[in-house]
Amino acid sequence: MRIFRLSPGDLFLPFPLPLLLLQLAVLSHCQYTYGPEQSWLIHSHSALRNKELWFHDAQRTLYEKLSTPPNQYLAKNVIFFLGDGMSVPTVTASRIYDGQLRGIVGERNRLEFEKFNHVGLSKTYCANKQVSDSACTASAYLSGIKANYLTIGVTADVQLNDCAGARLPQNRLSSIAAWALRGRKSAGLVTTTRVTHASPAGVYAHTSNRDFESDYDVHELGQNPSNCPDIAQQLIESDVGQRLRVILGGGTKKFLPNTTTDIYGNQGQRLDGRNLINEWQLSKPGNARVVFNRTDLLNNDPRTTDYLLGLFNASHLAYHLDDSIDTPTLAEMTEAALAVLSKDNNGYFLFVEGGRIDHAHHETKAKKALDETVQFSDAIRKARQMTNPWETLIVVTADHGHTVTISGYPDVNNNITGLNSELSDIDQLPYATLSYANGPDYQKFYTTNDSVVERVDLRTLDIGDKDARYPHGVPMSEETHGGGDVAVYAHGPWSHLFTGVYEQSCLPSLMGFASCLGPGITYCDLQPKEFYNP
């Protein structure tokens, strides 16, 4: 290396100091002394007036970034967390909600995944829709190919209800779970929805309609079940589905015949007379466990469990705020899944979905959406506690957004699920801080007085209640998705690759690179090979 001398005592390098040297300099220098508040969390908004807080807050953030080198180790494990419908405003509002529940200034709070060092944005449109659904996005973030609205695991050559096209090998997509299985790793899925619902189905299924969850559904939608394998059947019989080590979620009715009930008395749907739950258990080598409630899940011994199927409701799992009897939390299901998968020395891929964030938004029940997001954050915290960040890549994102907004000029730490601290400057009535662009029960929020449409005084409604619907503009049978970009949070090996703005379909390639999986270039391709293989 040449060193150019400009003047006595001055040295000039012909290139900037490498990042590693800068990081070493930061680490070797005296530790940064935090200012008057050493924690991110504060308990009084009056502390926000202290200029020292903001300066030292920024310096602490800078120090943490400078002292964190890129993690360029091989990702033995990949955990993909999907917050269904978790738009950026949803994350912001949930951060505040969680903080306020814990007695701190909510705006200063951080959800578990907001502590990750690397964040990007993904574009969520699908091949034929500006605003996507959970089916076509599952194809993008799990298989790396954008597909048509309402289809799963098939290319955009397959149109809605094209059963023949969905069965053609050239139209079928391969998910990162399939890549993991080919790479001799284990794979599993966890969700708070039915395990046959759109997002988890992207792990293993290929279908021209996301609603083909059972043969009954196929028949009701005017198709022949013999030509359209339903999603529950694919979970039991497909190459990927039958090899999943862990399946936890809801949806017993999609697996049981209509002549049978589950242990809670819920009738099955299937027309073919098959009990797919029994078939699943009988088809597995080793010890295959089936559990139907939280008690049995927590009592299960992962050391003696080779395969684990847990179905905890006839349909989706109950909302956390509804306090369903003996229903596991998302964190508990995540812990159970990791306990089984981590026995594989080759590693694993795990898909975890907080699916009911989306459902609460569709109902414009904002408080439940925020609470489900906090539950989702708790599951991520559990995963971080159980894994090694030097060998486990954790990616957190959403499939699409929703139309919820945080609006007006409320005071700091104003109740995020309540009324705004300001009044409308037109009708002098209160409005909610959270509202939607569209949604159901339009008449609940507007009235007519002498042919003039007026807003209802929200003080007479139940805003802030767990089942309260929140105000919206356009009347719809249910609130729609939003088309904005969604955030991607990454932690662990090669997590720095997830920064920037990119197509949602890039995510499998980024995860595949870090873990040496899939058809694209991987980290292992950068390593010297022992033998020449043209």
Side-chain angles (χ1 to χ4, degrees):
M1 177 179 69
R2 295 181 61 197
I3 298 179
F4 296 86
R5 187 174 298 278
L6 297 179
S7 60
D10 292 330
L11 293 179
F12 171 73
L13 296 179
F15 48 81
L17 276 174
L19 176 61
L20 179 60
L21 294 181
L22 179 59
Q23 290 163 336
L24 290 174
V26 171
L27 290 171
S28 63
H29 197 264
C30 61
Q31 290 289 315
Y32 173 71
T33 302
Y34 294 137
E37 174 58 63
Q38 296 189 27
S39 169
W40 284 94
L41 311 178
I42 58 177
H43 295 271
S44 171
H45 69 272
S46 62
L48 301 178
R49 296 196 294 267
N50 183 352
K51 69 177 183 180
E52 295 295 317
L53 178 139
W54 301 112
F55 174 77
H56 290 290
D57 180 82
Q59 291 297 299
R60 177 172 60 249
T61 300
L62 175 62
Y63 177 84
E64 289 175 352
K65 290 184 177 298
L66 289 174
S67 60
T68 304
N71 181 341
Q72 297 183 349
Y73 289 93
L74 172 67
K76 174 184 174 183
N77 313 306
V78 177
I79 308 175
F80 186 83
F81 280 93
L82 192 282
D84 198 315
M86 192 180 70
S87 61
V88 173
T90 300
V91 174
T92 304
S94 300
R95 171 200 312 150
I96 297 171
Y97 171 78
D98 178 56
Q100 291 175 343
L101 286 179
R102 297 193 290 117
I104 61 176
V105 175
E107 289 81 355
R108 286 288 295 176
N109 185 40
R110 291 190 298 175
L111 299 174
E112 188 66 23
F113 51 91
E114 293 184 289
K115 301 171 186 176
F116 291 6
N117 285 320
H118 301 107
V119 182
L121 292 172
S122 81
K123 298 187 281 185
T124 62
Y125 66 93
C126 54
N128 63 344
K129 288 285 186 178
Q130 197 172 66
V131 178
S132 60
D133 78 318
S134 294
C136 66
T137 51
S139 299
Y141 62 71
L142 287 170
S143 298
I145 306 294
K146 293 213 173 189
N148 290 329
Y149 182 68
L150 301 179
T151 69
I152 304 171
V154 292
T155 70
D157 290 327
V158 177
Q159 303 300 316
L160 181 65
N161 293 332
D162 179 8
C163 294
R167 298 182 71 175
L168 294 176
Q170 65 267 30
N171 291 338
R172 293 194 157 199
L173 302 177
S174 179
S175 75
I176 189 171
W179 303 352
L181 293 169
R182 287 196 210 112
R184 301 180 184 278
K185 296 180 184 291
S186 293
L189 68 85
V190 172
T191 180
T192 52
T193 70
R194 296 187 296 269
V195 297
T196 51
H197 208 236
S199 301
V203 173
Y204 59 87
H206 312 277
T207 181
S208 59
N209 191 326
R210 59 176 288 176
D211 291 328
F212 291 165
E213 294 186 53
S214 71
D215 62 341
Y216 169 82
D217 299 319
V218 176
H219 180 268
E220 287 296 297
L221 291 167
Q223 302 297 321
N224 186 343
S226 63
N227 296 328
C228 276
D230 62 85
I231 296 172
Q233 178 185 342
Q234 291 188 51
L235 180 53
I236 304 302
E237 296 179 349
S238 72
D239 180 60
V240 174
Q242 65 181 340
R243 296 170 65 192
L244 295 176
R245 291 277 179 172
V246 177
I247 304 165
L248 299 176
T252 56
K253 66 181 180 181
K254 304 298 181 182
F255 295 87
L256 295 175
N258 57 13
T259 56
T260 304
T261 58
D262 65 17
I263 64 170
Y264 297 109
N266 302 300
Q267 186 177 12
Q269 277 190 345
R270 300 197 65 82
L271 305 176
D272 57 11
R274 297 175 64 182
N275 184 324
L276 297 183
I277 297 174
N278 287 347
E279 289 186 26
W280 178 89
Q281 190 167 31
L282 292 172
S283 69
K284 296 292 177 284
N287 185 12
R289 291 291 314 281
V290 179
V291 294
F292 295 105
N293 55 58
R294 177 178 183 267
T295 300
D296 288 346
L297 179 70
L298 298 186
N299 288 335
N300 182 61
D301 186 352
R303 295 170 298 180
T304 59
T305 302
D306 299 305
Y307 294 86
L308 178 62
L309 172 62
L311 297 174
F312 306 105
N313 205 351
S315 184
H316 307 304
L317 272 64
Y319 290 114
H320 171 255
L321 283 178
D322 286 342
D323 294 327
S324 177
I325 297 174
D326 217 10
T327 298
T329 65
L330 186 59
E332 290 168 342
M333 290 192 292
T334 300
E335 180 177 10
L338 289 174
V340 173
L341 294 174
S342 61
K343 297 190 299 178
D344 190 335
N345 292 327
N346 292 324
Y348 55 81
F349 170 80
L350 175 62
F351 173 87
V352 181
E353 182 197 21
R356 306 229 62 195
I357 302 169
D358 174 75
H359 296 166
H361 276 321
H362 279 307
E363 300 174 45
T364 65
K365 294 182 178 179
K367 188 168 187 176
K368 281 186 171 177
L370 305 192
D371 188 77
E372 291 297 310
T373 305
V374 173
Q375 292 296 304
F376 181 67
S377 175
D378 290 345
I380 295 164
R381 180 180 301 110
K382 176 57 65 174
R384 292 188 73 187
Q385 293 169 350
M386 295 180 66
T387 56
N388 180 348
W390 295 105
E391 65 176 19
T392 301
L393 171 64
I394 300 178
V395 178
V396 179
T397 190
D399 46 357
H400 53 73
H402 272 272
T403 70
V404 66
T405 61
I406 307 170
S407 64
Y409 304 98
D411 295 335
V412 165
N413 216 31
N414 186 67
N415 183 358
I416 191 65
T417 61
L419 298 178
N420 202 296
S421 54
E422 303 280 327
L423 298 178
S424 165
D425 60 0
I426 299 296
D427 61 15
Q428 305 304 312
L429 290 175
Y431 58 96
T433 302
L434 301 176
S435 61
Y436 294 83
N438 55 57
D441 284 353
Y442 179 85
Q443 68 282 356
K444 184 175 184 177
F445 303 102
Y446 298 91
T447 187
T448 303
N449 184 11
D450 292 332
S451 300
V452 176
V453 176
E454 298 178 346
R455 288 195 310 127
V456 168
D457 189 339
L458 296 183
R459 288 170 294 199
T460 66
L461 301 181
D462 55 357
I463 299 299
D465 185 79
K466 69 181 179 70
D467 285 311
R469 294 194 192 273
Y470 279 67
H472 47 270
V474 178
M476 302 283 286
S477 60
E478 67 174 23
E479 184 264 355
T480 69
H481 294 165
D485 295 351
V486 296
V488 181
Y489 309 83
H491 179 72
W494 296 96
S495 55
H496 55 287
L497 298 181
F498 292 80
T499 59
V501 181
Y502 40 80
E503 299 287 355
Q504 190 174 55
S505 50
C506 290
L507 291 173
S509 288
L510 299 178
M511 293 185 285
F513 176 89
S515 55
C516 292
L517 298 174
I521 186 173
T522 72
Y523 167 68
C524 294
D525 294 325
L526 306 183
Q527 304 303 303
K529 292 184 170 55
E530 186 175 354
F531 300 105
Y532 175 64
N533 184 16

